[in-house]
Amino acid sequence: MSATFAYYPGCSLQGTEKEYNTSLQLVAKALDHKLEEIPNWLCCGATSAHSINHALATALAGDTLAKAQDAGHSKILAPCAMCYSRLATTLHQIKSDPDKAASLEKALKREKGGLAEMRALSMLDWARELSDAEIQAPIKKKFKGLKIACYYGCLLVRPQKVTGVENAEIPQDMERVVRLLGAEPVSWTMATACCGASFSLSDKPSVFRLGRRVIESARKAGADAIIVACPMCHTNLDMRQTEFQAADERIPAIFITQLMGLAYGFSPKELGLEGNFVNTDAITAALAATEEG
Amino acid sequence: MKTLAELVKSATGTTPLDCYQCGRCSAGCTQNVTEGMDMGPVRIMRLIQMEEAFKDQPETAAEYCDRVLTSDTIWMCASCQTCTQRCPQGIDIAGTMDVMRQTAIQRGKAAKSRRVYDIVSAHKAFINCIRRTGKNDEVALVGEYKMRTGNFLSDMNMAPQMMLKGKMSPFGAIGSALSLLKSGPADNVKHVFEAAEALRKEEEEQ
Amino acid sequence: MSRIGVFICHCGENIGKTVDCARVAEEAKSFPGVVFARDNTYTCSEPGQAIIREAIKEHGLTAVVIGSCSPRMHESTFRRTCAQAGLNPYMCEIANLREQCSWVHSNREEATAKAIEIVRSVVARVRNNTPLDPIRVPITKKVMVVGGGIAGIQCALDLAEGGAEVVLVERTSSLGGHMSQLSETFPTLDCSQCILTPRMVDAASNPRIKLEMYTEVEKVDGYIGNFQVTLHRKARYVDWNKCTGCGACTQKCPQKKIPSSFDEGMSMRTAISIPFPQAVPSKPTIDKDYCMKLTTGKCGVCSKICKAGAIDYEQKDEHFTVDVGAIVMATGFQVMDTDKFPYYAGGSHPNLITGLQFERIASASGPTSGEIKRPSDGKPVKTIAFVQCAGSRDKANHVAYCSKICCMYTAKHATLFKHKVHDGNAWVMCMDVRTPGKGYDEFYRRTIEHDGVHYIRSRVSRIIPDGDDLILMVADTLDGGKQLQIKADMVVLATAAVPQPDVQKMAQTMGIAYDGDGWLTEVHPKLRPVETATAGIFLAGACSGPKDIPDTVSQASAVAAKVLGLFAHPELQREPTIARVNRCAPPLQSSCVGCFTCESVCPYKAIERETLRARDGSTRQVAKVNAGLCQGCGTCVATCPSKSIELDGYTDKQIFAALNGLV
């Protein structure tokens, strides 16, 4: 079913994690989804803004909501978990407290109101709105024998009152997609553990310890690859993995949209798989095995 | 001056005064004591309660308040939201840590350890980045962070590989470096900083 | 013409200090209808009451007003006094000069003026009173006890002992309830079955107790003294009259892989089974969902093997009604399943069990014959961890209340474990250990001081499976929140006690209340703890909230005393202050238009429908109040759009007169 979203790519998808954007654009096209980029969007402020400047964090999220609203949208797709979380948290605050909504609109000098009526969609929300048949329709080749650890991390699921996921402890949205693509999700213990992304720059010991914990858990569960739906998680579990994990103990981490894209018949090059630091041949090989789909 | 509990209440709508010290936040904490926190989040909640309890004895209250604001714990929090998710009393503990960090900066109380200094520097560099361009330019961010902290060598080993993987372009890097010379908010982001200032003032007046 | 007497009480100094009682009495003499008035220091005392009795006789009083304390205090006293002097008790009214006047004012002049107005108002009201007679209702001296656990058994035994006929309804095929599943009981560690099974046998053999097993309550009609309860007896497919209880059928049944609910899913039973060896009655039932004969038509092994010819695959469910005068709810509780806790090993791991499951493992009659072996691989457990408050006191994720029994049963579990596994290690993760009970705290301290169990003050955030083992994420809150990881062979969750899932539906059909958590509610938590708001329906045991065995048994006996007290009367006398739909001469017959708004608002289901027949043979339906059910709350009176309902003793005429007396 065709659908249109206000698209909020966020900074990472234009920078170091641009293959997330590329692959999402391809997959969206295959699903007949229109992604209309929010004009002149700004950074969400990420962890830094909500950590040391709460008002700025709120104002930045408000600005994005306002620009999407002005462009005639009510649903914003935010593929970055951080961007999504900032929008969803702000929406949760202004939805549950009309005074906060009024203050935000006043601060942004907006007359028309209705910011609280907007909706932010994470990649999980986006996947949940797709039926099994819709996800399967564009499939050209299915995976066979590929074991996937679906990694959710923090902000796609927590806190539950903000994300509205049904089960924040054992989410199953990505597992469903993985199954529909013919791959096999593994049951593992670190699916919603933190990878330490907020310390990517500033505290390497935390990043290495937490990242390693995730990779080791996925390996122990027998996964061939990890899929993610967050650019920071990807940086940590792919690029940083080469720093904390011995060469023969690594497993590739790719975006859920890259996994879908492969099944939908796009080439690894189109999907930006060569941008990965950890070799992804195990994933593409599992696809080649069933050429007839 | 507002108590820490009052600040948390107005920012998150929940209150640390509801905490009954069960410790589940600390039990499930991504970081915690062994990883650079000087006390578990459960103790932060208790100190906030005690500051409130001694509100009418300003010296004692200030002691409690300082113990919170100067702690490493509030900076080592990874904002992973596990504590908020599982808190049996429904307290927004991760949100509480946000309020503590912001207050520590505002009151000049942030811990002086090297580890905290690096973390605070990264946050400040990030916000400056937004101020200059409205976006997070990763190269400019890393550049400012290095200038603030003197960690010139960290991550330099990744740069050639990142360029090779198409994650960073040499020309872009030069442009980003030049952006560091700019000062004051860029035109596209001015209104947001103004809005933030208005929100901050309103909150203060309440 | 009214002849009203007014008596103003000083209540010692309570009224007299602030109100000039003599002047109030003097003023009252001038009110219309008043023929006698005086004040008195203590009107409720015997001499004070004598003055009232004499005045009634001497002055031929037709109504009395007492200016005194609240009617809640002494209305019944003074009405009895009037009745002794031959006056209808409902011709006596109280003017509240204490709670509503002297206690809340300090200015004597103003208080006296207000007291005069209050008395004037009540005098005006009493002039419009009419004599009322108490409603008499016959009592069926038989009681139904719903639930065959320790609460129901104890209550039934006490009732039978007191001479009442008892119908004991139990939905499973055996008496015993949760108590029969327990290994030992705290704080004395006596064997649960040893103290329970004799009572089960007593209940089954008592000639005054009729067991209705494998039976559920379907519907309740009627009112105190006169309930009609419809029961649903599920088909057992075994004629219990013929069955000798030899158990041969349960040996030979080929369907052997059904999780036993008595063993909390930790052992297997057959499709025809007796729930446990000590079951009372010791008769099997066939589970129609699993029996091959009943599901596929092929098998019939039990029928062939039964020498008594008791197997009856054609048996049908039965529905029948029983008349009783009182109902006792003793429906008990359940515990939350582990699957409610996704953060604890995904909510499902063979070695993650509930406290009730641990009871079965620790029980000599359980699946491991009392040896502490873990379910996954049968390995003897060396390190065990107990997690308290799993679901309880967790208002954000589960329930807000304390389940009350877990602290003590966890201490008991840890003690039992240490008694059985001397070189084992037991951890308890707790928040506050609550031990208010006789010998309870001593027991808990012994768990630590004598048996060496380690208590850590922490709620567990997460339990991570590590193969067959489990790792608990803990923080020692007594050590600044220091994070600890504890690896255990088996983990026992003290999951919250929760109401029976279907009890609310039953409560709705009976018209009794339950709270937000689903526990049945008592009329008053302190002073009327075993009565419901519906007269004649009582609560015993954990159906009104988590309770340990001593509390449950005490309540059960308390209910028996209440019911026997009710049955001690030849008939029920009820307050006549109930609602009445008016009736008048034909052709109108009643101003009720039959909208039945009253029916929809009545909280006591007291509105019935009556058909009126006019002379021309046409009929119409009007409302009628069931005097047995009406509690006199007046909701119908307030809602009736055609003003066709009045509350006796509180008629519009009386209320308006009282108001006019004030203005």
Side-chain angles (χ1 to χ4, degrees), chain C residues 13-20 97-115:
Chain C
E13 284 208 328
N14 275 306
I15 299 171
K17 198 172 78 178
T18 328
V19 171
D20 183 345
L97 302 187
R98 194 177 73 174
E99 284 82 348
Q100 291 178 355
C101 188
S102 67
W103 275 2
V104 291
H105 299 292
S106 50
N107 183 309
R108 188 173 169 86
E109 199 51 42
E110 285 172 11
T112 305
K114 179 174 171 181

Side-chain angles (χ1 to χ4, degrees), chain C residues 3-138:
Chain C
R3 295 182 59 81
I4 301 167
V6 177
F7 302 85
I8 306 297
C9 181
H10 293 241
C11 196
E13 284 208 328
N14 275 306
I15 299 171
K17 198 172 78 178
T18 328
V19 171
D20 183 345
C21 296
R23 212 178 101 210
V24 176
E26 203 49 42
E27 286 283 337
K29 283 180 185 161
S30 65
F31 299 155
V34 175
V35 295
F36 176 80
R38 63 162 289 176
D39 60 318
N40 191 17
T41 317
Y42 287 110
T43 312
C44 60
S45 65
E46 178 45 37
Q49 292 188 46
I51 291 172
I52 300 173
R53 285 194 296 266
E54 280 157 24
I56 290 171
K57 284 175 189 155
E58 193 184 325
H59 299 280
L61 300 181
T62 61
V64 163
V65 171
I66 321 274
S68 62
C69 51
S70 152
R72 286 195 78 127
M73 189 81 193
H74 276 316
E75 183 182 75
S76 57
T77 312
F78 293 127
R79 284 189 167 169
R80 210 164 41 235
T81 310
C82 292
Q84 285 161 0
L87 193 63
N88 183 291
Y90 295 90
M91 297 306 289
C92 168
E93 292 284 353
I94 308 295
N96 186 344
L97 302 187
R98 194 177 73 174
E99 284 82 348
Q100 291 178 355
C101 188
S102 67
W103 275 2
V104 291
H105 299 292
S106 50
N107 183 309
R108 188 173 169 86
E109 199 51 42
E110 285 172 11
T112 305
K114 179 174 171 181
I116 292 168
E117 292 196 3
I118 293 172
V119 172
R120 189 195 295 126
S121 163
V122 178
V123 166
R125 180 191 203 281
V126 85
R127 285 176 68 204
N128 292 283
N129 277 21
T130 47
L132 298 172
D133 291 316
I135 297 165
R136 292 171 202 285
V137 189

Side-chain angles (χ1 to χ4, degrees), chain B residues 42-57:
Chain B
V42 63
R43 182 58 56 87
I44 297 282
M45 305 306 276
R46 181 62 184 159
L47 297 178
I48 295 174
Q49 293 179 341
M50 294 310 281
E51 189 219 12
E52 183 76 22
F54 281 101
K55 200 157 60 170
D56 56 354
Q57 297 178 34

Side-chain angles (χ1 to χ4, degrees), chain C residues 433-591:
Chain C
V433 179
R434 297 177 167 179
T435 55
K438 207 174 187 178
Y440 285 13
D441 204 63
E442 296 91 317
F443 183 91
Y444 154 62
R445 288 310 310 170
R446 223 164 30 238
T447 306
I448 295 172
E449 294 165 19
H450 184 266
D451 295 312
V453 174
H454 311 298
Y455 274 70
I456 298 183
R457 195 191 172 285
S458 171
R459 291 283 277 260
V460 179
S461 177
R462 199 170 171 214
I463 297 173
I464 299 170
D466 181 19
D468 283 359
D469 300 339
L470 293 154
I471 299 169
L472 291 84
M473 308 280 287
V474 181
D476 187 354
T477 57
L478 302 180
D479 186 11
K482 183 182 163 54
Q483 217 166 38
L484 303 166
Q485 294 195 358
I486 289 174
K487 191 166 176 166
D489 299 321
M490 184 164 85
V491 174
V492 183
L493 298 184
T495 57
V498 290
Q500 297 281 7
D502 45 359
V503 78
Q504 292 94 331
K505 210 177 130 218
M506 198 161 151
Q508 283 164 12
T509 70
M510 300 170 88
I512 59 176
Y514 50 90
D515 64 20
D517 293 310
W519 301 107
L520 301 180
T521 39
E522 51 284 73
V523 180
H524 191 286
K526 293 179 202 73
L527 300 178
R528 296 173 72 187
V530 298
E531 293 160 78
T532 68
T534 300
I537 302 182
F538 302 87
L539 305 174
C543 62
S544 59
K547 270 172 207 72
D548 59 14
I549 296 168
D551 280 2
T552 297
V553 171
S554 313
Q555 274 208 339
S557 295
V559 168
K562 282 280 171 194
V563 174
L564 291 170
L566 171 70
F567 287 2
H569 299 283
E571 57 183 9
L572 276 175
Q573 281 210 356
R574 301 206 35 238
E575 282 281 310
T577 49
I578 60 164
R580 197 164 33 79
V581 182
N582 67 24
R583 292 287 184 273
C584 52
L588 194 58
Q589 295 172 308
S590 171
S591 66

Side-chain angles (χ1 to χ4, degrees), chain B residues 20-24 26-29 31-33 39-40 42-43 85-90, chain C residues 343-344 393-397 431 457-462 473-475 477 480-483:
Chain B
Y20 52 30
Q21 293 286 296
C22 77
R24 189 183 272 171
S26 307
C29 182
Q31 298 285 57
N32 208 349
V33 194
M39 60 182 115
V42 63
R43 182 58 56 87
Q85 171 63 32
R86 295 194 188 134
C87 175
Q89 291 291 81
Chain C
Y343 44 93
Y344 292 159
R393 305 173 70 197
D394 187 341
K395 69 178 179 189
N397 307 297
M431 191 157 68
R457 195 191 172 285
S458 171
R459 291 283 277 260
V460 179
S461 177
R462 199 170 171 214
M473 308 280 287
V474 181
T477 57
K482 183 182 163 54
Q483 217 166 38

